[in-house]
Amino acid sequence: MKPVAFDYERPRDLAGAVKLLAGSSGAAKVMAGGQSLGPMLNLRLAQPQLVIDVRGIGELHAVSDANGSIVLGSCITHAAIEDGVIQDVTRGLMREVAANIAYRAVRNRGTIGGSMCHADPAADWVSVLPLLSAAALIEGPRGRREVDVEHFVTGAFSTVLEENEILVGVRIPKLSAAARWGHYKFCRKPGEFAEAIAAVLVDPDRNVCRAVIGATHSAPHVIEDAHFIAEGFDSERVLATVMAAGVGDDPYERQIHHTALKRAALRLNA
Amino acid sequence: MTSVHSRSGKGVGASLRRKEDARYLTGRGQFVADIRRPGMLEVAFVRSPIAHARITAIHKPRGLEDRVWVMQDLVGVKPIRAVSGLKGFKASDLWPLAKDKVRHVGETIAMCVGATRAEAEDVAAQVIVDYEELPAVVDTVGARTHPPALVHDEWGDNVFLETLYDDELAHVRQSAAICVRRHIRTARQSMAPLEGRGVLCEWIERLAQLEMYSSAQMPHINRAGLSDCLGLDQAAIRVIAPDVGGAFGYKGILLTEEICLAWLAQHLKRPVRWIEDRREQLTANANCREHDYDITLYADRDGHLLAIDCEATVDSGAYSLYPFSACLEAAQVGSILPGPYKMERYRCRTWSVATNKPGILPYRGVARTGVCFALEVALDAVAREAGKEPYEVRLANLVQPHEMPYDNITKKHFDSGDYPEAVRRAVAALDVAKWRARQKTGEADGRRIGIGVSVYCEQAAHGTSVYYGWGIPMVPGHEQCWARLSPDGMLELRIGAHSHGQSLETTLAQVAHETLGIDPANVRLVHGDTALTPYSTGTWGSRCMVMSGGAVATACKDIALRVKHIAGHLLGASPDELQLRDGEVGLERSDKRMTLAEVAHTWYRQPQLLPPDVHTSGLETVVGYKAKVDTGTFSYACHAVAIAVDTEIGHVEILDYVIAEDGGTLINPMVVDGQIYGGAAQGIGTALYEEMPYDSEGQPLASTLADYLLPGATEMPPLRILHMETPSPYTEFGQKGIGEGGAIAPPAAIVNAVNDALADLGVELTETPVTPRRLLAATEAAKATRLA
Amino acid sequence: MNKKIQLTVNGKAVSAEVEPRLQLADFLREHLLLTGTHLGCEHGVCGACTIELDGAPARSCIAYAVTCDGADVRTIEGFDEDIVMAELREAFSAEHALQCGYCTPGMLITARDIVTRLPHADEARIRKELAGNLCRCTGYVGIVRAIQKVIAERTDGSSPRVESAVIGAVKPPSGHIEDKRQRSVQPDRNVYGRPASELNGEGAKSKPAIARPEGSHEATAATGMPKPIAGAPATGKQTTMHQSFSIDHPVAKVWEFFGRLDEVALCLPGTSLRGMRTDDHVDTRIRIKVGPIVAEFEGSADAVRDPSSHSGTIQGSARDARSSSTTRGEIRYALQDEKGGAATRVEVDVGFTLTGPLAQFSRSSIVQDIAKRMTAAFVQNLEARLNQTSTGPKAVRAKPAPAAELNAGSLVVSVLWNRIKGFLRSLLGR
């Protein structure tokens, strides 16, 4: 299992990367940590003509703190978040999420931006960042735009990114001191894909009570008003929500997603 | 035979550290993929993406025709044909490259070369094969009852072989107070050693000999098979198994790839190499374990077994593989199902069916894992009917120690052991009362507690009579050891079996130490090379410690006699009075002694000093060994487990796991524990994680290790091993084969515990693995039944 | 197309020209002959290829040599002078933490990372950190103990004695009777928090159904015998979906439309026509893009029609040359009068199979779901086109416009898709 031949470029700046992408007419693939793309290349499932390695772009490794939020460059690794090398403005949620992605050797290379762009419904950041009302910072030939993460993933393995755009980073609002969260991920083995992900966030100072159902078949399902989960678990309404998230037809999936939400809520109130 | 325990701390019974560790710890082991040859080409195969089809055309890519070979190109090469000697067996022809028809996904169709593996894969990707698709035979029982197609057109059905162990059951059926009937299945699995197969082949012009490095556990058998298919005499083939990264049965087979590469190396006069990748291992090459049982147990009111009636179907895949054939498992099922339990009547019909899946190989435990699962899960149902603790039903039915040696209902000859004691010890160590109390109280987190036991016996190192009876084309006879005390007093040993994790370099050195008093550090073992070692059927059936161990001991005794004879002459003592200890030979409490090196030096360099009647073969010998009774050793164990079941999400956590085991005399307890731990991990995989699913078209649905889940460190519970050591009366030191046992009992023990936890919900699982999906589905189904 | 790279491997400067597709592991093994790094899966799961890249463990199978320009790489061969590694090697041997030795180099590199990064890791943490390194021989017992041992020795502050030779050394005899080693703290292995089980309260006293077969064993169909639960999700290929809709046009017109195979074919998203095209045969190309995977199925479809019953069948097959995967599909349709001839009821059955590498992944829990959506999309396009055809000018016939190419996003339309998805999410949920 060796990849088909591909060309390789490692641009030094965003403009260079965008230019390469624009000139590739869809046959190029951006690679950051390569932990998702690598297996697909090896299995010959992905056969791009050009791989654009964006790890050489300084801006993608930057962290900046501004206006009640923090911006993480796309190439920040899961391990850096897990280890607290990056300031955690989510009262431990992001550290917990990062620490449970795949395996350490993968977390050392895998990046938050790469994971978002890969848009795997079962991926952790894809599921949890919408809970935090994060935003995606996108660079393209026409400059920069910002999209709510909630709308960044449009479906499984599909995002709002145009073929010549690059995700520069994610903006994460800071939680207030009174904020509480509960997160639950069910997988058959540590490091395996999640069968269900649920997370609940209550931040009264910012008037937030949100929940998310992740590891769906498509984009994660955000519950804007999650009081029926956070305050007295309303099992019937949760069931309806699970159905609405598109994971309720199969009894097994219905059960595990329902349970995941229940346990996330329990942890919230622990 | 009394149990032998070394007093030196280095012989039998010592947890000697392994001699083989150093090279692996420094990354200097040498596996097939680590070997390169100048001018070597890499091979990739075109494999069938379809389970069942006629090949209508194969198009080689234009301009690359000289880098692609199909079956027609391999002139004179014969198919692999593994024929069982049992009556009624239908043979299959497995062509090294598919000829007219493909019968499973992954079957080799064309062979392609490149300077690198990537280039070889580039060529393979350009080969186009035209197919006429046929319905796929996928369902195990359906393959014989409602065949959608014939895997082998000329057979008329899809049955390799049917066997029957018949008995009259009418009376029992009428009189039995308890009758439980269950449909029990074990999933198809992949053995998944960490290293896959790999072959490097080179034609050595000087010797007119084909030299093959292969990641194999039975190199001599591979040579025999290669000779059959290639038409070369056996001496023209040398097979070398270098370091091998785990096997578990997976590497006990002659591969189509081996034949292809052998032909190619000879044809191209260039070294060629093929390294199996994980995708090939999972989707294309041999699987194991897929059994289906319709089993009925008859018992009296107290749970005493009266009879077993069973119909078992083993899914043997598309081809009979060499050398174990398609029928080893089913034939075993019929003869080993009753195991160590006593009963009046026994009837068992078995089928080995052909399907459009890869052929099967005997995986660690072979048929025993399935048999143990079927019987032990059904026995728990008997216990529930009888209102008894499951372990009580075992105690009521097991063979008693005073009955040893014991011939059971299928005439299996049990050599020794105290089976009830193993159960008692396991149950005591687990503390059943404690868990029952906790079960009653209930868990704070809502999970349900369950406990389960299972008992098995592992017939190992079984020899000529047994294998002849099973119809296997390879029947083992005497196992040989070549031994030489070299001029510097080092001992060289050569055996035809092979070690790929079993630690033979260490344990056989301990055996030599026991017999010859030589420091294990001064013993060197050569194995896995047909040119250097005596013929052997290889490593399988937990036989090495009994057979190779016996051969080494016998050879060393031979050497010892000759050493004493020479030393007696040189020391002026009677050879009978001499002792061998600490690398010396001499009289106890006397300065009349000399080193083995001095004796050896005399034989090789100063023959003028030798006694006139010295043995003319000197300090070099080849000796064969066969156990006094060759029906095998019976090691056994009781596994007892406590688990917690999370019925909301379907997860099973193992809280405590006890193994009370009797492997006879332990040569190296540390190594024995390692084998049991490793086997148990695989058994836990069978119970809870591992499954090679096929869809209705015969497409394998697990092609990566993210689909096929192997247990990791987090899936392994703390394991507690309790040893009993009842020596076998038939082996050199009383040792028994123990390599497979760990993998046999866990599925039964764990599923019994799950059923124990869920019994009051009306849930009973009878299929492996117990995945969250299966568990929740069963819980839901039981709930629906209760409500209805 | 080769690229020049310069990097440090085990402390030595190395420069080379490499193909971009060359895995770092193959570069180390085949070019530098550092064969201690083993390949076990080549998709990042097993951990046998774990090396140290810029000071931290990484998979060398899914890293490419070209991406390591300027990097510092350390393989198992580069730790001969390392004290921590020496302690681990000693402990691995003492605790019998290796059998076949194949996973050992990767295992040691991960173990060293645990010991140095998490100097107080307990058993549970050690096990979790080892999740990305598979061992098939040892059951991890010796591995976990060895790491615990090294951690304990290092936290004791006592500088552990490292024996240079592991050969022939004797393990203390105490170990084998029973595991006396107490796990200092039995870790809370319940990873689920505190579920207040609802099911627990429903412990009705019911027993498993137990069948007593009457008569002979052959009566396998005896009812009540507990059957294995069909646990795997329905993987039945030949997934068939039924859809029914009504359209306000008479049967004759709709029947006429179904006679134009090219137009019907184009209702499948991503389909374009190529080569031959008659009313009962078309050559097609279906392009599907799913994340980084692009599949282009080329094949043909043939139609068989029965005017007497106003029903017909379209059968097609196609192959994606890149992945050697093939798909077969069948569309059956039947038309019936409705509203006294003013409208037509259209019954459509769509079935698919997929074979080859793209099909060979498990956990396709959404087969039915996806197939439904695919059929829905097809039917939607069919309806739209029927209306267009029925009402619009004949010109449509001459130049049928293909349905928008599928770029798995807003609408996910392929059966292969769910297989790929199962794989991707399992492997790459990172």
Side-chain angles (χ1 to χ4, degrees):
Chain A
M1 289 188 305
K2 310 295 178 189
V4 295
F6 55 80
D7 211 346
Y8 172 85
E9 294 293 342
R10 192 175 186 174
R12 285 159 169 256
D13 52 34
L14 268 178
V18 169
K19 200 173 157 192
L20 280 167
L21 266 181
S24 73
S25 59
K29 189 74 197 136
V30 172
M31 180 162 82
Q35 302 300 288
S36 297
L37 188 57
M40 314 216 40
L41 289 170
N42 287 352
L43 286 164
R44 297 195 170 208
L45 291 172
Q47 305 189 357
Q49 285 167 20
L50 169 67
V51 167
I52 302 170
D53 182 349
V54 295
R55 284 176 312 131
I57 302 170
E59 189 180 348
L60 302 188
H61 297 268
V63 178
S64 55
D65 188 341
N67 289 338
S69 65
I70 188 169
V71 174
L72 304 187
S74 277
C75 286
I76 300 291
T77 62
H78 313 311
I81 298 168
E82 173 187 14
D83 293 347
V85 173
I86 308 300
Q87 185 200 348
D88 182 9
V89 297
T90 63
R91 298 177 48 76
L93 174 58
M94 286 186 72
R95 286 188 71 172
E96 175 179 311
V97 169
N100 289 291
I101 296 172
Y103 321 110
R104 179 71 185 187
V106 170
R107 297 197 290 275
N108 283 332
R109 308 291 293 173
T111 66
I112 188 167
S115 181
M116 287 303 296
C117 292
H118 193 62
D120 182 335
D124 295 85
W125 296 130
V126 166
S127 298
V128 172
L129 290 186
L131 178 81
L132 294 166
S133 308
L137 311 181
I138 297 166
E139 179 89 6
R142 291 181 303 278
R144 186 157 303 192
R145 62 185 178 123
E146 194 163 325
V147 174
D148 285 349
V149 159
E150 197 178 326
H151 304 120
F152 179 78
V153 174
T154 53
F157 301 100
S158 138
T159 68
V160 298
L161 285 179
E162 301 286 335
E163 271 183 354
N164 50 14
E165 285 184 318
I166 285 177
L167 178 67
V168 180
V170 287
R171 179 191 306 282
I172 310 210
K174 293 182 181 174
L175 299 189
S176 65
R180 295 173 294 130
W181 53 265
H183 170 245
Y184 185 84
K185 172 178 167 180
F186 176 55
C187 30
R188 291 185 60 197
K189 282 174 59 180
E192 278 308 314
F193 81 100
E195 308 238 320
I197 293 175
V200 191
L201 173 68
V202 175
D203 193 348
D205 294 358
R206 291 165 57 240
N207 201 23
V208 169
C209 181
R210 261 164 102 84
V212 68
I213 297 174
T216 66
H217 304 308
S218 183
H221 185 80
V222 176
I223 303 152
E224 292 284 353
D225 179 356
H227 286 93
F228 67 98
I229 296 167
E231 298 163 11
F233 190 79
D234 183 341
S235 198
E236 286 302 308
R237 263 185 88 183
V238 167
L239 211 53
T241 311
V242 168
M243 296 301 288
V247 285
D249 288 342
D250 176 68
Y252 169 68
E253 290 185 3
R254 185 166 63 232
Q255 168 83 7
I256 59 171
H257 284 284
H258 183 268
T259 305
L261 264 176
K262 189 167 80 175
R263 294 183 181 182
L266 277 168
R267 289 180 175 189
L268 170 80
N269 296 316
Chain B
M1 180 69 52
T2 52
S3 171
V4 182
H5 276 287
S6 163
R7 275 165 298 159
S8 66
K10 292 180 180 178
V12 169
S15 286
L16 194 71
R17 283 211 211 163
R18 300 202 321 158
K19 291 160 64 73
E20 41 274 86
D21 283 348
R23 67 178 184 273
Y24 297 129
L25 288 166
T26 51
R28 287 165 180 102
Q30 193 186 43
F31 301 88
V32 172
D34 301 341
I35 303 170
R36 292 187 66 86
R37 286 282 181 268
M40 183 176 80
L41 293 172
E42 302 274 1
V43 173
F45 287 92
V46 175
R47 294 178 182 276
S48 175
I50 298 165
H52 196 194
R54 275 180 225 295
I55 297 174
T56 53
I58 304 175
H59 310 278
K60 294 183 183 177
R62 198 160 297 163
L64 297 171
E65 290 89 347
D66 61 344
R67 292 169 67 177
V68 180
W69 292 266
V70 298
M71 194 59 227
Q72 280 87 333
D73 300 322
L74 274 55
V75 177
V77 175
K78 291 193 207 121
I80 297 171
R81 216 172 146 83
V83 180
S84 166
L86 296 177
K87 212 177 139 202
F89 175 81
K90 300 191 196 78
S92 62
D93 283 339
L94 170 54
W95 291 91
L97 296 169
K99 232 181 161 178
D100 317 306
K101 207 175 160 185
V102 286
R103 295 183 176 84
H104 65 82
V105 168
E107 192 168 343
T108 43
I109 294 172
M111 166 169 57
C112 308
V113 297
T116 63
R117 172 65 178 247
E119 283 179 22
E121 288 182 16
D122 292 346
V123 176
Q126 295 173 62
V127 175
I128 293 175
V129 184
D130 296 336
Y131 303 94
E132 180 193 320
E133 290 191 43
L134 299 166
V137 181
V138 179
D139 183 67
T140 300
V141 175
R144 65 176 169 85
T145 57
H146 302 92
L150 293 178
V151 177
H152 298 279
D153 301 331
E154 63 280 11
W155 286 11
D157 60 17
N158 287 323
V159 179
F160 279 106
L161 182 72
E162 182 179 337
T163 68
L164 176 64
Y165 196 104
D166 209 3
D167 207 346
E168 180 51 59
L169 298 180
H171 175 71
V172 171
R173 284 197 184 109
Q174 282 171 4
S175 63
I178 293 174
C179 163
V180 300
R181 181 175 177 190
R182 293 293 184 271
H183 182 196
I184 293 174
R185 288 205 302 233
T186 52
R188 184 166 267 254
Q189 281 185 254
S190 174
M191 287 169 251
L194 254 282
E195 180 210 28
R197 292 298 305 257
V199 183
L200 191 164
C201 234
E202 183 173 13
W203 179 257
I204 309 291
E205 202 68 70
R206 176 176 61 84
L207 301 169
Q209 189 182 53
L210 187 75
E211 186 178 284
M212 174 184 288
Y213 285 87
S214 180
S215 181
Q217 59 190 85
M218 299 152 59
H220 291 272
I221 296 298
N222 287 49
R223 181 168 85 147
L226 283 166
S227 166
D228 287 348
C229 293
L230 294 168
L232 286 172
D233 62 87
Q234 294 206 23
I237 303 169
R238 178 182 184 183
V239 179
I240 303 161
D243 281 335
V244 169
F248 318 116
Y250 184 65
K251 297 173 182 176
I253 177 185
L254 174 67
L255 294 170
T256 59
E257 291 91 342
E258 286 175 311
I259 296 167
C260 287
L261 267 84
W263 180 88
L264 188 61
Q266 200 184 349
H267 178 80
L268 284 183
K269 302 280 189 280
R270 280 181 81 163
V272 289
R273 182 171 77 170
W274 164 75
I275 305 300
E276 179 189 67
D277 64 35
R278 186 63 64 178
R279 195 188 147 72
E280 289 176 301
Q281 180 183 100
L282 289 171
T283 63
N285 284 338
N287 303 144
C288 54
R289 285 268 195 278
E290 192 169 16
H291 293 197
D292 183 292
Y293 297 87
D294 178 350
I295 186 170
T296 307
L297 302 191
Y298 298 94
D300 69 14
R301 204 166 307 283
D302 296 327
H304 287 103
L305 266 182
L306 301 172
I308 299 176
D309 189 2
C310 181
E311 299 199 333
T313 310
V314 174
D315 190 327
S316 297
Y319 297 103
S320 180
L321 300 182
Y322 184 90
F324 286 109
S325 90
C327 304
L328 171 66
E329 296 226 4
Q332 263 199 1
V333 168
S335 67
I336 67 177
L337 179 61
Y341 294 106
K342 296 189 284 186
M343 65 201 69
E344 297 163 13
R345 301 279 174 175
Y346 171 65
R347 179 184 170 278
C348 184
R349 187 186 293 273
T350 75
W351 291 268
S352 306
V353 298
T355 57
N356 291 117
K357 304 176 203 169
I360 58 163
L361 282 176
Y363 174 36
R364 197 177 204 170
V366 200
R368 303 177 194 99
T369 304
V371 160
C372 174
F373 184 68
L375 182 54
E376 294 288 323
V377 167
L379 269 178
D380 263 33
V382 169
R384 283 191 287 275
E385 282 280 280
K388 297 205 178 262
E389 275 287 356
Y391 73 85
E392 292 173 334
V393 170
R394 269 70 179 186
L395 289 175
N397 290 292
L398 282 168
V399 57
Q400 297 296 313
H402 66 266
E403 295 172 289
M404 290 291 170
Y406 174 75
D407 289 347
N408 80 353
I409 193 158
T410 57
K411 304 289 177 272
K412 285 279 164 195
H413 182 73
F414 288 64
D415 53 348
S416 66
D418 186 344
Y419 287 70
E421 179 61 15
V423 174
R424 285 188 290 267
R425 288 195 193 185
V427 163
L430 187 75
D431 195 346
V432 168
K434 177 187 86 180
W435 288 108
R436 286 286 177 230
R438 184 164 159 184
Q439 190 176 41
K440 218 167 185 179
T441 313
E443 296 294 285
D445 61 13
R447 294 189 300 168
R448 292 172 155 268
I449 297 293
I451 56 176
V453 295
S454 67
V455 177
Y456 72 87
C457 59
E458 175 189 4
Q459 185 183 16
H462 21 2
T464 313
S465 57
V466 178
Y467 266 74
Y468 173 72
W470 279 338
I472 307 304
M474 169 204 79
V475 178
H478 281 79
E479 191 72 16
Q480 289 178 307
C481 170
W482 174 97
R484 172 163 68 198
L485 196 62
S486 54
D488 54 4
M490 299 281 285
L491 181 69
E492 300 175 70
L493 297 175
R494 296 180 181 186
I495 59 158
H498 184 265
S499 176
H500 28 272
Q502 294 91 338
S503 321
L504 291 181
E505 289 170 51
T506 305
T507 52
L508 292 180
Q510 289 178 255
V511 167
H513 169 82
E514 194 66 37
T515 316
L516 211 47
I518 190 168
D519 192 308
N522 294 334
V523 180
R524 295 175 69 98
L525 179 72
V526 172
H527 58 339
D529 185 336
T530 59
L532 299 179
T533 67
Y535 179 89
S536 165
T537 52
T539 296
W540 51 270
S542 300
R543 64 194 297 273
C544 286
M545 218 47 244
V546 172
M547 299 302 293
S548 300
V552 166
T554 310
C556 288
K557 281 182 195 165
D558 231 12
I559 300 274
L561 280 178
R562 300 183 197 179
V563 164
K564 285 179 184 172
H565 185 63
I566 295 170
H569 180 72
L570 296 173
L571 296 169
S574 160
D576 298 342
E577 297 170 335
L578 297 177
Q579 301 284 322
L580 285 157
R581 182 171 300 170
D582 300 331
E584 291 186 331
V585 55
L587 289 172
E588 289 283 317
R589 289 179 294 279
S590 157
D591 59 356
K592 277 198 172 180
R593 53 200 317 106
M594 59 195 303
T595 63
L596 291 176
E598 285 165 344
V599 175
H601 187 80
T602 309
W603 164 260
Y604 292 104
R605 299 293 180 82
Q606 296 179 297
Q608 71 276 14
L609 303 179
L610 293 168
D613 58 344
V614 70
H615 195 297
T616 55
S617 294
L619 302 175
E620 188 167 322
T621 186
V622 183
V623 179
Y625 169 83
K626 201 170 172 179
K628 279 173 261 178
V629 175
D630 78 350
T631 47
T633 60
F634 282 72
S635 56
Y636 58 94
C638 175
H639 288 213
V641 59
I643 54 138
V645 181
D646 182 337
T647 52
E648 282 192 317
I649 213 135
H651 185 81
V652 175
E653 187 193 353
I654 300 171
L655 302 173
D656 193 11
Y657 201 114
V658 178
I659 299 171
E661 187 264 359
D662 189 345
T665 305
L666 305 183
I667 305 294
N668 181 325
M670 176 188 82
V671 166
V672 170
D673 284 356
Q675 291 295 311
I676 295 171
Y677 290 138
Q682 294 182 359
I684 288 167
T686 301
L688 298 173
Y689 300 100
E690 296 181 38
E691 180 170 20
M692 176 54 68
Y694 279 79
D695 73 6
S696 60
E697 299 285 303
Q699 291 288 313
L701 298 179
S703 58
T704 71
L705 289 180
D707 307 297
Y708 190 86
L709 299 187
L710 297 176
T714 42
E715 284 65 60
M716 280 299 290
L719 292 170
R720 296 190 284 148
I721 300 175
L722 312 170
H723 286 296
M724 295 161 59
E725 289 194 49
T726 314
S728 171
Y730 305 136
T731 64
E732 189 62 33
F733 302 102
Q735 78 272 37
K736 298 181 175 186
I738 51 87
E740 300 169 79
I744 296 173
I750 291 166
V751 173
N752 279 341
V754 171
N755 288 340
D756 181 58
L758 304 180
D760 61 0
L761 297 177
V763 176
E764 192 184 85
L765 286 145
T766 54
E767 183 177 16
T768 63
V770 175
T771 59
R773 180 178 283 277
R774 281 201 178 93
L775 199 150
L776 291 182
T779 310
E780 280 303 303
K783 197 193 275 178
T785 308
R786 283 203 310 279
L787 294 174
Chain C
M1 136 138 183
N2 281 4
K3 299 273 177 185
K4 273 191 183 159
I5 54 167
Q6 289 189 310
L7 63 164
T8 307
V9 178
N10 295 337
K12 289 184 191 139
V14 173
S15 59
E17 272 195 34
V18 296
E19 260 195 297
R21 66 167 156 178
L22 182 69
Q23 295 168 3
L24 175 60
D26 277 337
F27 175 66
L28 296 168
R29 292 175 46 78
E30 306 293 336
H31 294 231
L32 305 184
L33 305 181
L34 294 167
T35 55
T37 298
H38 297 151
L39 284 171
C41 72
E42 294 177 272
H43 38 255
V45 176
C46 81
C49 71
T50 307
I51 46 104
E52 212 183 77
L53 183 52
D54 292 328
R59 305 292 204 221
S60 61
C61 69
I62 50 175
Y64 299 91
V66 69
T67 68
C68 298
D69 187 30
D72 186 2
V73 174
R74 202 175 184 195
T75 70
I76 190 67
E77 292 93 342
F79 288 91
D80 285 354
E81 309 298 320
D82 184 85
I83 292 170
V84 180
M85 193 59 92
E87 291 169 17
L88 280 164
R89 283 172 170 153
E90 156 68 19
F92 265 54
S93 184
E95 297 295 340
H96 193 24
L98 63 155
Q99 288 180 25
C100 81
Y102 198 78
C103 74
T104 307
M107 198 65 82
L108 280 170
I109 287 181
T110 295
R112 188 180 177 282
D113 178 56
I114 296 171
V115 170
T116 52
R117 183 168 53 86
L118 305 165
H120 305 291
D122 61 7
E123 183 189 334
R125 185 66 192 267
I126 291 168
R127 286 182 183 275
K128 181 166 180 280
E129 294 291 328
L130 284 173
N133 287 77
L134 296 174
C135 167
R136 194 60 162 161
C137 293
T138 65
Y140 309 95
V141 177
I143 296 168
V144 173
R145 281 186 193 159
I147 295 171
Q148 283 179 299
K149 187 176 186 177
V150 171
I151 284 178
E153 282 168 350
R154 293 186 78 81
T155 45
D156 281 354
S158 59
S159 67
R161 198 168 53 85
V162 177
E163 293 164 36
S164 54
V166 293
I167 295 172
V170 178
K171 193 190 171 195
S174 64
H176 75 271
I177 299 302
E178 192 176 343
D179 177 19
K180 297 196 180 74
R181 216 175 301 268
Q182 282 302 314
R183 284 161 183 81
S184 51
V185 182
Q186 189 65 4
D188 176 13
R189 292 173 62 89
N190 173 15
V191 294
Y192 303 117
R194 297 159 310 286
S197 172
E198 298 162 350
L199 294 172
N200 208 28
E202 303 170 2
K205 292 279 181 289
S206 71
K207 283 191 167 182
I210 287 164
R212 300 232 12 204
E214 309 281 325
S216 86
H217 208 114
E218 274 63 43
T220 311
T223 53
M225 177 166 67
K227 289 248 189 267
I229 302 297
T235 50
K237 203 66 78 59
Q238 294 297 2
T239 303
T240 48
M241 285 297 136
H242 179 82
Q243 290 254 323
S244 169
F245 61 93
S246 178
I247 192 154
D248 288 334
H249 293 288
V251 165
K253 261 196 156 166
V254 179
W255 176 248
E256 188 195 335
F257 169 80
F258 271 99
R260 301 198 290 272
L261 181 57
D262 52 356
E263 289 202 45
V264 177
L266 286 171
C267 292
L268 276 172
T271 300
S272 56
L273 302 176
R274 56 183 191 101
M276 233 180 111
R277 180 200 307 188
T278 67
D279 277 352
D280 55 9
H281 179 93
V282 286
D283 290 341
T284 58
R285 175 185 296 117
I286 308 175
R287 191 178 146 88
I288 298 167
K289 192 165 182 291
V290 181
I293 301 172
V294 180
E296 215 165 67
F297 285 92
E298 289 199 353
S300 59
D302 293 281
V304 179
R305 284 157 63 81
D306 176 12
S308 65
S309 63
H310 284 136
S311 67
T313 306
I314 301 166
Q315 285 186 320
S317 64
R319 178 175 184 273
D320 174 39
R322 290 188 223 211
S323 67
S324 303
S325 296
T326 56
T327 181
R328 280 186 282 123
E330 185 179 85
I331 300 167
R332 292 173 177 275
Y333 58 90
L335 313 179
Q336 270 186 330
D337 257 349
E338 255 189 8
K339 299 179 190 164
T344 305
R345 166 122 325 246
V346 185
E347 308 277 351
V348 184
D349 288 293
V350 185
F352 304 90
T353 58
L354 180 70
T355 54
L358 288 177
Q360 291 160 7
F361 300 101
S362 63
R363 304 199 197 91
S364 46
S365 59
I366 53 166
V367 179
Q368 300 295 317
D369 182 53
I370 292 298
K372 257 183 219 161
R373 292 166 74 181
M374 177 156 186
T375 306
F378 171 71
V379 170
Q380 210 172 23
N381 289 338
L382 206 61
E383 278 191 81
R385 203 175 280 268
L386 266 167
N387 281 323
Q388 189 186 11
T389 310
S390 313
T391 55
K394 269 278 175 191
V396 176
R397 168 79 181 105
K399 211 177 179 185
E405 174 188 301
L406 177 71
N407 188 344
S410 53
L411 186 63
V412 172
V413 190
S414 162
V415 161
L416 84 81
W417 150 250
N418 81 80
R419 290 292 165 72
I420 297 162
K421 178 177 177 298
F423 161 67
L424 291 173
R425 74 198 302 225
S426 61
L427 195 55
L428 314 166
R430 310 169 171 163

